[in-house]
Amino acid sequence: MKSVYSSIIIPSLLLFSLTGCKSRKPMDKIYQSDFYSISANKVNQGKFEATALSETSLTSNYESPVNLEISPALAFKFSLNGKDNEMAPGKNHLINIISSNGVFETPVIRFGHPSADGSTVGKGVFLKPDTKLTIRLDMRDVLADFRDKGFYTTYDGTKIYKADFKGVFVAGSIIPLTWDFDNLWNHKELELHDTDGDGIFTLSLEMNKPQAKKTTASSWTLSKDITAFPQYKSDVPMMDALYNLSLEEMQNAVEPDSTFRTGKEWAGVWTRDISYSIILSMATLQPKVAEYSLLRKVKNDRIIQDTGSGGSWPVSSDRMIWAVAAWEVYKTTGDKEWLAKAYQVIKNSVEDDLKNIYDPKTGLVKGESSFLDWREQTYPKWMEPADIYASENLGTNAVHYQTNRVLSQMAVLMKDDHAAAKYSEIAEQIKAGINNHLWMEGKGYYGQYLYGRQFQLLSPRSEALGEALTVLFGIADPERQKSVIANTPVTNFGIPCIYPQIPNIPPYHNDAVWPFVQSYWSLAVAKTGNADALMRSMSAIYRPAALFLTNKENFVSSTGDFAGTVINSSNMLWSLSGNISIIYKVLFGMDIHENSLVFKPFVPEILKGKRTLNNFKYRNAVLDITLSGFGNIIKSITLDGEVLPAATVPSNLTGTHQIVIALANNQVQKGKIGLVKNKFSVAAPLIKLGGEMISWNKVEGAVAYRIIRNGKETDKINGLDYVAPNSGEYQVVAEDAEGVPSFASEPVLIYAPEKIKLIDLALVAEKSELPYKGFSGRGFIEISKTKNRKVTIEVNVPERGTYALDFRYSNGNGPTNTDNKCAIRTFSVDDVFAGTFVFPQRGKDEWSDWGYSNTNIVELTSGSHQFTLSFEDWNENMNGEINQAMLDELRVIRIN
């Protein structure tokens, strides 16, 4: 991690200045807002209170308000094959579950037709406990289409073929229903059935079951021996107790095989979870477990991308955070054998990435948002996994920048000068790409990602983790670092993953705060010396941990409640790692380099006093550290009574030593905070194309519509249609009264027929005899590791120009959200590398579900050209065996 430099002032929201006090009174406030307060031994939020009885004991009376008064108003919709495909986003069935006898049956609801209950819910009317709900669905229209046409066409034009139909599910707003469409297939209890064959599908559910009550433990007392780890004590019992709770949860997170468990509800080792946790504090506390866990995520001497959209890598490409974690382990241990092993794994992985995800036009890498790997939680609904692959995201690019820096530093130690220079240059290219393409001068922070198809535009949403990493990794210069911290939107309970929120999407990454992201934000804030922002950020970590008595995975941004997010877990590895990191990396300011440990403490004045950290292990030394005072300037620092030059502990120190640090009690200029109300943007327009006329339905809350052509705004109107004056790729962005934009709509193409050439691939290679439907020409071809490993297509180009190329394909090897069977191919024009095509999964066994790959833009001269699609060694996916897709046609469009 980068050094944690900091400056300090007294936060404006703090109630008490402790100047002149020798010790802290138990009730002294250290943070106060309109929503909650923290004192030395209590956290208060309305009627809820958590108390630190001692450094090893906590109590809390917190109970989620979600379950105290559950509204009977149910919003729900149905799902074919577990996808969100019944009605357009924002359109739901609505019904009030009001019953005197605890039994409620819906009227028969016709699939695809919104149904609304006309009744009203009176004040004080809530859902009765143990209500039996029976849902009745009329599927006869769908079944008739299956019988008569062989397929059913959904609201957005997608054809679901009879052979691909696996079942109908229900999603909704009240437990046990969920809005998690991508995982509905795994919820067999939410599948409706037609038991008598009349076309009416039914499902009975128990609503508001007592066991679903949302509470956590009411008390915590330390029950494990944590004396092997650093012992922390201060004048703030609440912080001491939460540190000890986190150490105990850390021990819970170590499996019998000495690898990290991701969370109480998340078994196993997950690449990004363990990596972000190791960087925060696990490299320091459990370096061997960190090594074992990292090695578990290596296959064929390459880092495993174990999750992500459309079949994992390269649609998701943030596996490289592994490299930063591996480097953190080396800096902590100095283990040369580990260095050599990690160096080769990282180098192999980067070399594969260079051929599959690097964009020479922008200098950026492609792939899904780092950790934000749930499509509709952070991307527009229309974006398929192929579109996500083509996006260029802030956090993921920050990860790849730091990976190449780490690889360059490793190469120096491995005496590989050529590699050191190469990867340093790549890092600088990514850094320049981030600053040139993602920085938003008017907002003072970076945009979320570039997205689109033939042309890309910048999503102006903030992305908390990416913003923090640009500061920590030094991607932003010092002036921009301060701007990012001062301007990135922060809400009342913490920094949300993205801002503004996406409408009609339940909280998880959307409308949510993740404590581990808050921890990275805290480290970034500390680096810029913004004390106001730091106290707010630290408090956003301590509040939920104290009230919930566990380090939760996430909580709802708008309410601060752990209930209400689609999925949540206690004892979450990266959350507890972040809690611990505040002590080590902020208050004590420990920054571990490859050959030293440097102290740069940051103690806000409100936290001034004496604190100790004993039994801290650094390589072959054990350090007992005492820190007093406040500020960010060291007045004095000694090692065993002798002045410690540059506050730097050398890596060859051995034995037990005492370090004493006194801060200068310095005041620093006041810092700004980007505090905002939690806000949702308006929905993206659903547009239709008729000739050169683009039209859309009115978007609720929108007052204007921006017309985007080829990635640039060309017009702004108030109406609901637009005649395109020129050919190109068009999108529409809705805008609310405050000027906040929606996501851009799905692109539509307006080109003269002579500009588009469609090539039937069944005429180019051997036609497949597989029984799949929905292809557009004479048939389709299969590409796999054994069939059509190399496909050559002769194309006659009538005139010189810029061309957009993509393939219509299907991949039924897995769902859109998990698994690892994304098909990947290298694309060459006249034997010259021209890019990569990816064919992500589109649905388990849904081989008649066709869509388009990513787009490659090429410059072509007039005449004949040879296009080649080939499977190369670097196209090996994470599965290693199945790398397969069906290709229908190649589309070649003259765009300029």
Side-chain angles (χ1 to χ4, degrees):
M1 300 293 288
K2 297 290 288 182
S3 301
V4 179
Y5 291 91
S6 48
S7 57
I8 177 167
I9 57 168
I10 303 175
S12 60
L13 292 173
L14 304 182
L15 292 186
F16 294 95
S17 171
L18 301 180
T19 305
C21 298
K22 294 183 179 180
S23 61
R24 187 179 305 281
K25 297 176 183 178
M27 291 303 294
D28 284 345
K29 290 285 195 307
I30 58 176
Y31 178 81
Q32 175 75 60
S33 75
D34 293 337
F35 297 87
Y36 66 94
S37 66
I38 301 178
S39 65
N41 68 338
K42 289 185 183 295
V43 172
N44 291 93
Q45 180 181 323
K47 64 182 180 181
F48 302 123
E49 181 176 272
T51 303
L53 303 178
S54 71
E55 64 191 32
T56 60
S57 181
L58 292 160
T59 62
S60 173
N61 66 349
Y62 187 83
E63 182 177 331
S64 171
V66 168
N67 282 86
L68 297 179
E69 298 177 346
I70 299 178
S71 169
L74 173 66
F76 63 103
K77 64 169 57 173
F78 300 103
S79 160
L80 302 179
N81 294 347
K83 294 182 179 180
D84 187 2
N85 51 19
E86 184 196 8
M87 297 181 290
K91 287 189 176 181
N92 301 313
H93 304 291
L94 303 172
I95 201 157
N96 298 319
I97 309 173
I98 300 175
S99 170
S100 59
N101 60 358
V103 177
F104 187 90
E105 186 175 274
T106 71
V108 176
I109 299 168
R110 188 177 169 195
F111 186 91
H113 295 263
S115 172
D117 189 337
S119 65
T120 58
V121 178
K123 186 176 181 180
V125 176
F126 305 111
L127 179 61
K128 290 183 178 296
D130 294 316
T131 295
K132 183 178 180 180
L133 170 66
T134 299
I135 300 173
R136 298 189 295 163
L137 169 65
D138 184 349
M139 281 280 287
R140 287 175 293 188
D141 291 345
V142 177
L143 298 176
D145 279 359
F146 283 158
R147 182 185 64 248
D148 300 337
K149 302 177 184 178
F151 60 85
Y152 173 78
T153 304
T154 66
Y155 76 92
D156 62 357
T158 299
K159 292 180 180 178
I160 299 176
Y161 283 82
K162 180 179 180 181
D164 286 350
F165 176 61
K166 306 299 186 300
V168 59
F169 297 79
V170 61
S173 59
I174 302 176
I175 293 174
L177 298 179
T178 173
W179 287 119
D180 181 10
F181 283 98
D182 277 341
N183 286 302
L184 274 182
W185 182 253
N186 298 319
H187 289 277
K188 295 299 182 182
E189 73 279 8
L190 300 180
E191 183 177 2
L192 291 86
H193 296 279
D194 180 8
T195 55
D196 57 9
D198 63 353
I200 307 300
F201 286 62
T202 61
L203 174 67
S204 293
L205 297 168
E206 294 290 333
M207 309 297 289
N208 197 13
K209 297 167 69 173
Q211 58 265 38
K213 194 173 185 181
K214 296 293 182 181
T215 59
T216 54
S218 60
S219 64
W220 168 81
T221 300
L222 182 65
S223 61
K224 292 184 180 294
D225 181 4
I226 60 172
T227 56
F229 303 104
Q231 302 295 293
Y232 174 70
K233 291 185 180 181
S234 72
D235 296 331
V236 185
M238 180 60 72
M239 293 175 66
D240 299 357
L242 291 175
Y243 172 81
N244 290 330
L245 179 149
S246 298
L247 286 183
E248 179 170 279
E249 291 199 323
M250 174 192 70
Q251 290 180 286
N252 295 337
V254 179
E255 300 280 30
D257 65 354
S258 293
T259 60
F260 286 121
R261 180 184 181 90
T262 300
K264 182 179 179 181
E265 308 300 329
W266 294 104
V269 182
W270 294 79
T271 304
R272 67 170 66 96
D273 297 62
I274 61 163
S275 298
Y276 280 116
S277 302
I278 288 166
I279 296 164
L280 285 167
S281 59
M282 290 300 105
T284 296
L285 288 169
Q286 303 218 62
K288 278 300 177 186
V289 177
E291 284 187 19
Y292 297 149
S293 299
L294 289 170
L295 289 177
R296 184 66 64 82
K297 308 312 296 183
V298 174
K299 181 180 180 182
N300 298 327
D301 283 333
R302 285 159 173 80
I303 303 164
I304 295 171
Q305 181 81 41
D306 50 21
T307 188
S309 293
S312 188
W313 183 84
V315 175
S316 288
S317 60
D318 70 333
R319 61 179 179 154
M320 300 310 299
I321 193 62
W322 188 102
V324 186
W327 179 238
E328 195 74 15
V329 171
Y330 170 72
K331 291 189 299 178
T332 301
T333 64
D335 184 341
K336 299 291 185 182
E337 184 178 342
W338 170 255
L339 173 68
K341 187 180 298 182
Y343 176 68
Q344 195 57 56
V345 169
I346 298 167
K347 188 176 180 181
N348 291 342
S349 304
V350 167
E351 289 298 321
D352 285 351
D353 281 348
L354 283 171
K355 297 180 178 71
N356 288 292
I357 66 170
Y358 279 67
D359 182 352
K361 296 182 180 69
T362 61
L364 299 170
V365 301
K366 303 175 182 179
E368 194 164 31
S369 306
S370 183
F371 121 82
L372 304 172
D373 64 334
W374 192 340
R375 293 183 309 143
E376 64 266 27
Q377 285 284 328
T378 43
Y379 285 93
K381 278 275 192 180
W382 59 263
M383 286 184 72
E384 301 283 356
D387 300 314
I388 293 174
Y389 159 79
S391 67
E392 298 178 355
N393 166 261
L394 176 64
T396 298
N397 272 274
V399 165
H400 281 268
Y401 164 77
Q402 190 69 356
T403 292
N404 280 280
R405 285 192 68 233
V406 162
L407 191 53
S408 179
Q409 292 172 279
M410 285 183 164
V412 171
L413 297 177
M414 298 297 293
K415 304 189 185 310
D416 188 346
D417 294 339
H418 173 75
K422 173 183 177 178
Y423 298 117
S424 178
E425 182 180 353
I426 293 170
E428 290 306 308
Q429 290 171 356
I430 297 173
K431 179 179 179 179
I434 292 172
N435 283 298
N436 291 338
H437 295 285
L438 302 182
W439 178 256
M440 300 185 295
E441 193 65 45
K443 292 183 177 291
Y445 52 88
Y446 293 91
Q448 182 182 19
Y449 45 64
L450 298 176
Y451 71 119
R453 283 184 180 151
Q454 293 180 0
F455 298 89
Q456 293 187 318
L457 64 155
L458 178 62
S459 168
R461 280 179 165 82
S462 65
E463 188 216 293
L465 180 59
E467 310 289 352
L469 296 183
T470 64
V471 174
L472 289 170
F473 295 159
I475 294 166
D477 62 30
E479 183 179 347
R480 283 189 175 181
Q481 289 175 19
K482 290 185 177 181
S483 178
V484 166
I485 298 305
N487 294 300
T488 300
V490 174
T491 55
N492 294 317
F493 291 102
I495 186 164
C497 293
I498 60 170
Y499 187 92
Q501 316 304 336
I502 306 171
N504 307 313
I505 298 297
Y508 184 63
H509 294 141
N510 188 56
D511 192 21
V513 175
W514 286 57
F516 99 90
V517 175
Q518 192 76 53
S519 298
Y520 276 100
W521 182 249
S522 297
L523 301 184
V525 166
K527 183 179 179 181
T528 66
N530 188 327
D532 281 21
L534 178 60
M535 281 308 305
R536 176 176 286 275
S537 187
M538 289 172 58
S539 298
I541 294 168
Y542 290 135
R543 178 202 69 87
L547 290 175
F548 308 157
L549 294 181
T550 183
N551 288 284
K552 279 284 189 183
E553 180 179 4
N554 52 53
F555 55 85
V556 180
S557 176
S558 53
T559 65
D561 188 21
F562 67 85
T565 63
V566 177
I567 302 173
N568 210 335
S569 176
S570 300
N571 207 132
M572 199 68 181
L573 180 65
W574 49 16
S575 300
L576 67 92
S577 299
N579 201 319
I580 294 168
S581 74
I582 298 302
I583 305 300
Y584 298 168
K585 292 179 179 287
V586 175
L587 297 181
F588 284 85
M590 291 188 282
D591 183 27
I592 301 177
H593 296 236
E594 60 265 35
N595 55 11
S596 63
L597 165 62
V598 181
F599 287 93
K600 292 197 172 77
F602 185 110
V603 179
E605 182 173 2
I606 198 67
L607 295 178
K608 74 176 184 177
K610 181 179 178 181
R611 48 188 35 85
T612 60
L613 186 66
N614 294 329
N615 195 33
F616 184 85
K617 298 177 177 65
Y618 171 59
R619 295 201 179 179
N620 295 315
V622 177
L623 307 177
D624 293 335
I625 311 164
T626 300
L627 174 64
S628 60
F630 67 88
N632 68 326
I633 297 175
I634 294 176
K635 180 180 180 181
S636 65
I637 180 169
T638 61
L639 175 66
D640 299 332
E642 301 292 329
V643 173
L644 183 62
T648 300
V649 177
S651 60
N652 60 359
L653 187 70
T654 61
T656 301
H657 301 272
Q658 285 71 46
I659 294 178
V660 178
I661 307 171
L663 294 175
N665 296 343
N666 60 294
Q667 300 283 342
V668 183
Q669 184 177 359
K670 182 178 175 64
K672 180 186 170 186
I673 303 172
L675 184 62
V676 295
K677 292 182 179 179
N678 201 38
K679 180 178 177 63
F680 289 77
S681 70
V682 293
L686 295 173
I687 64 178
K688 297 178 181 179
L689 180 62
E692 296 176 351
M693 171 75 77
I694 305 167
S695 61
W696 55 93
N697 293 329
K698 179 174 175 56
V699 174
E700 183 179 355
V703 299
Y705 301 91
R706 303 177 189 175
I707 308 302
I708 309 295
R709 176 182 176 268
N710 294 349
K712 305 292 183 183
E713 182 175 338
T714 61
D715 210 341
K716 187 174 179 179
I717 64 175
N718 302 114
L720 300 177
D721 55 53
Y722 180 80
V723 178
N726 303 105
S727 64
E729 181 182 70
Y730 281 85
Q731 295 172 276
V732 178
V733 175
E735 186 180 276
D736 69 14
E738 298 175 8
V740 176
S742 70
F743 279 129
S745 67
E746 182 170 11
V748 294
L749 303 180
I750 300 179
Y751 290 103
E754 63 269 19
K755 299 289 186 181
I756 303 176
K757 187 178 184 66
L758 301 176
I759 299 171
D760 187 346
L761 296 177
L763 302 178
V764 172
E766 181 182 359
K767 186 175 82 170
S768 172
E769 296 302 323
L770 291 166
Y772 307 144
K773 309 293 185 181
F775 51 87
S776 57
R778 289 178 176 84
F780 56 90
I781 67 172
E782 177 182 356
I783 59 171
S784 68
K785 295 180 71 172
T786 59
K787 294 183 179 182
N788 292 313
R789 284 176 63 99
K790 184 175 183 179
V791 178
T792 301
I793 310 165
E794 296 287 344
V795 179
N796 185 56
V797 176
E799 54 186 337
R800 174 189 292 271
T802 305
Y803 290 80
L805 285 70
D806 57 13
F807 288 87
R808 189 169 187 262
Y809 82 99
S810 72
N811 181 346
N813 282 309
T816 57
N817 63 320
T818 60
D819 220 327
N820 56 9
K821 302 182 186 73
C822 178
I824 312 163
R825 293 298 181 272
T826 293
F827 178 60
S828 301
V829 177
D830 301 327
D831 294 325
V832 176
F833 176 80
T836 300
F837 279 107
V838 300
F839 309 100
Q841 299 164 183
R842 295 183 58 82
K844 179 66 173 171
D845 296 325
E846 294 183 47
W847 287 101
S848 296
D849 183 331
W850 300 87
Y852 282 97
S853 70
N854 61 301
T855 300
N856 275 299
I857 309 294
V858 295
E859 300 291 331
L860 299 173
T861 58
S862 61
S864 181
H865 291 277
Q866 189 177 78
F867 295 169
T868 304
L869 205 62
S870 60
F871 177 76
E872 306 294 344
D873 291 344
W874 54 82
N875 298 140
E876 193 70 82
N877 62 18
M878 293 293 114
N879 183 267
E881 294 183 11
I882 298 174
N883 198 313
Q884 175 195 36
M886 306 299 150
L887 303 187
D888 178 18
E889 64 184 13
L890 168 64
R891 183 169 61 173
V892 182
I893 304 175
R894 169 79 188 277
I895 62 175
N896 194 7

